[in-house]
Amino acid sequence: MDRTALLEERIAHLTRAVDDLSDIVTTQSKEIDRLTRLVALLVEREAERESQGFDAPAANQRPPHW
């Protein structure tokens, strides 16, 4: 193979790698957005629950013998 063909082949592989990485970043960005919304919802629910005066879950309370 001549030098031009080798360079074209290398560029094709690099282009494919960049496209694959771009797809991965897009997928991760969507997942991060989804998880961010979920965390915000959970924080909102917990704040609402605390404002209504609910007791802390048993896991967050000290045992009676302390």
Side-chain angles (χ1 to χ4, degrees):
M1 287 184 124
D2 66 345
R3 183 167 165 80
T4 304
L6 289 172
L7 290 173
E8 288 176 349
E9 182 179 339
R10 191 162 191 188
I11 289 171
H13 286 294
L14 291 172
T15 301
R16 173 68 187 264
V18 168
D19 290 343
D20 290 346
L21 290 172
S22 179
D23 292 344
I24 290 168
V25 169
T26 300
T27 300
Q28 288 178 340
S29 177
K30 289 177 183 177
E31 182 70 4
I32 288 169
D33 290 344
R34 185 185 73 80
L35 292 171
T36 300
R37 286 190 306 271
L38 181 59
V39 167
L41 176 65
L42 292 172
V43 167
E44 183 180 319
R45 282 185 187 173
E46 181 62 17
E48 183 178 310
R49 192 179 71 76
E50 286 178 0
S51 71
Q52 292 177 355
F54 286 110
D55 290 332
N60 293 339
Q61 294 178 346
R62 289 186 176 201
H65 62 276
W66 281 27

